[in-house]
């Protein structure tokens, strides 16, 4: 397994089918994401009332620096683990731990240079740098559970990490620690996740490193590494552009608007998609069905959330963030539909990654980065943070990704395009009616939009439930 065209092994008697394991891992992924949402996002909402937007902006700058640095720690190796038949867990652990320590020291030494963004950033980054090392300790057990389609084993560790982050950050914010509330909570959560994840995998995976494999592993994962670095830049470069042409308060307003816009996508992201596609490399019909159903699953829910936020931005900001965040309303209205465009490209990337077509994915995300930076600078200079949000809709790499998906699926690609059109159009009349009947920012429109979401969900379920039932009802393939 692991190469395009490889045959899927025959099922063992009594073993659950691949579809059953996919369903279990998908539901487990939802459970993890829902629990994290309730705990972590709930805490963020309370923190919005305890810490001013400027404090949120400072934290986001530090967090995104260490997140980008973590891509250099991993070198794409944890993602390659899911498709490498040799299962070199110990080797990857040795490499990522060594690089995690090295990069942590490098960030501490280089922290003073970040004062060009804002004078308070170096002090925060010196402490936040330890997150790179701590977070890296959990990547191998996480890859193990994802490869085995046993994501449910991660529910406890990931949920309790969210609980610790919430408890520590809220306690410290209440005591007036400001931005340090975020930093210390993230470090505590990363440590807990690493210890607990290893407690569930210890003795189940080989940990003896074979350093002779390192050059080959790095070669095989190199494109995944480049892709992940560029994806991190595409995801996080916007706030640095805003900081350069605006200020830290705008960064805080924009980043929290962005988090709200991606709330639904975070909850329903098909975490089991990549290992599922790897399983079905030798079965083109099921490979296509897996990709199509994941697209329907993710974007179907996301378009409902996008319509809701578009027509209820002011009320949503008032409920979620409270007083002092009114400046986030126009930003949220502009970026409400970004996840719909962005996630389709990421799902296409998961498909190309499973097929070992990493270079194609890299071209798409690289074009996205170039267009985002160029248009982001131009638009932000003219319209501020709102312009940065608008630039996300004009990414050239998304068009290239559409072409790659057509190249893989050919005539079936038009089925996916038809799905996208229906996902957009079926909910629109319900939300348009709510917006037409009630004034913007009113509680009446908010309530009517909840009803519109319920009706649209029912309409989409009526359209697609047979497709899902047909796939997950299959038997006989383990």
């Amino acid at each position: 397994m692991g190469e395009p065209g490889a045959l899927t092994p025959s099922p063992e008697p009594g073993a659950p089918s691949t579809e059953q394991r996919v369903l279990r891992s998908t539901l487990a992924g939802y459970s993890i994401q829902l629990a994290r949402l309730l705990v972590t996002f709930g805490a963020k909402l309370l923190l919005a009332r305890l810490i001013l937007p400027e404090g949120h902006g400072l934290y986001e700058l530090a967090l995104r620096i260490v997140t980008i640095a973590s891509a250099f720690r991993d070198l794409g190796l944890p993602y390659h683990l899911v498709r490498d038949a040799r299962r070199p867990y110990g080797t990857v652990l040795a490499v990522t731990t060594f690089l995690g320590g090295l990069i942590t020291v490098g960030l501490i030494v280089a922290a003073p240079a970040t004062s060009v963004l804002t004078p308070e950033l170096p002090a925060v980054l010196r402490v936040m740098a330890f997150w790179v090392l701590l977070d890296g300790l959990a990547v191998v057990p996480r890859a193990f559970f994802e490869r085995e389609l046993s994501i449910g084993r991660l529910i406890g560790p990931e949920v309790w990490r969210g609980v610790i982050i919430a408890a520590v950050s809220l306690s410290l914010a209440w005591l007036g620690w400001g931005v340090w509330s975020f930093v210390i909570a993230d470090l505590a959560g990363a440590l807990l996740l690493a210890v607990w994840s290893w407690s569930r995998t210890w003795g189940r995976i080989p940990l003896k490193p074979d350093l002779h494999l390192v050059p080959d592993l790095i070669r095989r994962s190199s494109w995944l590494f480049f892709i992940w670095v560029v994806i991190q830049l595409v995801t996080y470069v916007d706030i640095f552009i805003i900081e350069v042409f605006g200020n830290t308060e705008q960064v805080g307003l924009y980043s929290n608007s962005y988090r709200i816009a991606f709330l639904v996508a975070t909850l329903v992201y098909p975490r089991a998609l990549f290992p599922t596609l790897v399983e079905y490399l030798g079965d083109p019909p099921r490979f296509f069905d897996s990709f199509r159903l994941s697209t329907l699953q993710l974007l179907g829910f996301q378009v409902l959330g996008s319509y809701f936020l578009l027509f209820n931005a002011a009320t949503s900001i008032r409920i979620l963030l409270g007083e002092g965040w009114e400046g986030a309303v126009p930003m949220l209205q502009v970026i409400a539909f970004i996840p719909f465009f962005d996630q389709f490209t990421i799902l296409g990337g998961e498909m190309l990654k499973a097929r070992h077509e990493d270079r194609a994915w890299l071209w798409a995300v690289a074009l996205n980065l170039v267009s985002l930076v160029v248009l982001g600078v131009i638009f932000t200079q003219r319209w501020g943070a709102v312009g940065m949000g608008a630039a996300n809709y004009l990414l050239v790499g998304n068009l290239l990704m559409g072409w790659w998906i057509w190249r893989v699926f050919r005539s079936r690609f038009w089925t996916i395009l038809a799905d996208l059109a229906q996902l957009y159009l079926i909910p629109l009349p319900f939300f348009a009616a709510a917006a037409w009947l009630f004034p913007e920012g009113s509680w009446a429109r908010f309530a009517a939009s909840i009803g519109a979401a319920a009706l649209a969900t029912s309409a989409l379920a009526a359209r697609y439930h047979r497709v899902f039932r047909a796939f997950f009802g299959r038997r006989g393939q383990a």
Side-chain angles (χ1 to χ4, degrees), residues 207-239:
L207 293 179
K208 183 178 179 180
D210 184 354
L211 299 183
H212 293 94
L213 293 177
V214 172
D216 181 63
L217 286 171
I218 293 176
R219 179 183 63 82
R220 290 172 179 263
S221 66
S222 59
W223 291 104
L224 293 178
F225 163 62
F226 296 137
I227 290 166
W228 190 236
V229 170
V230 177
I231 286 177
Q232 296 300 306
L233 292 173
V234 170
T235 305
Y236 298 137
V237 72
D238 48 2
I239 69 164

Side-chain angles (χ1 to χ4, degrees), residues 258-281:
Y258 204 88
R259 185 176 290 111
I260 292 171
F262 275 82
L263 182 61
V264 174
T266 301
L267 175 60
V268 301
Y269 186 82
R271 189 166 174 177
L273 174 60
F274 175 45
T276 301
L277 293 175
V278 172
E279 289 276 342
Y280 287 141
L281 281 173

Side-chain angles (χ1 to χ4, degrees), residues 288 291 295 344-349 351-352 398-414 416:
F288 170 77
F291 181 82
T295 301
F344 183 62
T345 298
I346 290 180
L347 293 182
M351 180 267 294
L352 293 175
N398 290 345
L399 299 177
L400 180 62
M401 180 58 73
W403 183 84
W404 281 111
I405 295 173
W406 170 83
R407 187 186 63 85
V408 172
F409 295 128
R410 297 293 177 174
S411 61
R412 293 177 176 176
F413 174 73
W414 306 112
I416 296 177

Side-chain angles (χ1 to χ4, degrees), residues 85-414:
R86 297 169 294 182
R87 290 174 162 83
Y89 295 106
T91 306
V92 173
L93 175 64
V95 173
T96 55
T97 302
F98 171 76
L99 291 177
L102 190 64
I103 291 172
T104 296
V105 173
L107 287 174
I108 294 172
V109 173
T114 62
S115 62
V116 298
L117 293 173
T118 183
E120 297 84 3
L121 184 55
V124 176
L125 184 58
R126 286 191 189 98
V127 180
M128 196 69 182
F130 288 96
W131 182 88
V132 177
L133 175 61
L134 295 175
D135 176 73
L137 297 177
V139 297
V140 168
R142 214 159 36 212
F144 169 76
F145 287 127
E146 290 180 0
R147 180 188 180 108
E148 302 302 323
L149 287 172
S150 301
I151 296 174
R153 300 286 293 174
L154 290 171
I155 291 178
E158 295 207 12
V159 170
W160 278 102
R161 176 182 65 168
V163 171
I164 288 297
I165 290 175
V168 172
S169 59
L170 286 171
S171 299
L172 295 179
W174 182 262
L175 294 173
W177 284 51
V179 67
W180 296 105
S181 308
F182 296 115
V183 175
I184 296 173
D186 275 358
L187 296 180
L191 178 60
L192 175 71
L193 179 63
V195 172
W196 199 330
S197 297
W198 277 110
S199 72
R200 296 203 163 188
T201 55
W202 197 259
R204 299 182 61 186
I205 58 179
L207 293 179
K208 183 178 179 180
D210 184 354
L211 299 183
H212 293 94
L213 293 177
V214 172
D216 181 63
L217 286 171
I218 293 176
R219 179 183 63 82
R220 290 172 179 263
S221 66
S222 59
W223 291 104
L224 293 178
F225 163 62
F226 296 137
I227 290 166
W228 190 236
V229 170
V230 177
I231 286 177
Q232 296 300 306
L233 292 173
V234 170
T235 305
Y236 298 137
V237 72
D238 48 2
I239 69 164
F240 295 102
I241 294 174
I242 294 171
E243 177 68 30
V244 170
F245 295 103
N247 54 54
T248 309
E249 180 181 358
Q250 287 184 322
V251 169
L253 293 170
Y254 181 89
S255 60
N256 276 278
S257 300
Y258 204 88
R259 185 176 290 111
I260 292 171
F262 275 82
L263 182 61
V264 174
T266 301
L267 175 60
V268 301
Y269 186 82
R271 189 166 174 177
L273 174 60
F274 175 45
T276 301
L277 293 175
V278 172
E279 289 276 342
Y280 287 141
L281 281 173
D283 190 340
R286 293 190 182 187
F287 187 90
F288 170 77
D289 288 343
S290 299
F291 181 82
R292 182 193 178 198
L293 293 187
S294 294
T295 301
L296 291 171
Q297 160 195 322
L298 174 60
L299 302 184
F301 283 107
Q302 179 55 55
V303 75
L304 297 177
S306 295
Y307 276 129
F308 189 93
L309 292 174
L310 176 66
F311 292 120
N312 298 275
T315 308
S316 298
I317 291 294
R318 189 160 65 247
I319 293 173
L320 296 176
L321 301 181
E323 300 296 329
W325 292 86
E326 293 79 10
V329 173
M331 299 180 194
L332 181 58
Q333 289 174 319
V334 168
I335 66 179
F337 273 91
I338 289 176
F340 193 93
F341 290 82
D342 183 68
Q343 297 301 334
F344 183 62
T345 298
I346 290 180
L347 293 182
E350 296 291 282
M351 180 267 294
L352 293 175
K353 181 169 63 174
R355 289 169 53 87
H356 290 246
E357 297 181 19
D358 303 332
R359 297 187 186 187
W361 192 12
L362 178 59
W363 273 108
V365 294
L367 285 173
N368 277 351
L369 177 61
V370 172
S371 52
L372 181 63
V373 170
V374 172
L375 295 176
V377 169
I378 296 172
F379 289 3
T380 304
Q381 284 182 303
R382 185 164 185 175
W383 296 298
V386 171
M388 185 69 246
N392 283 269
Y393 292 101
L394 302 173
L395 305 185
V396 179
N398 290 345
L399 299 177
L400 180 62
M401 180 58 73
W403 183 84
W404 281 111
I405 295 173
W406 170 83
R407 187 186 63 85
V408 172
F409 295 128
R410 297 293 177 174
S411 61
R412 293 177 176 176
F413 174 73
W414 306 112

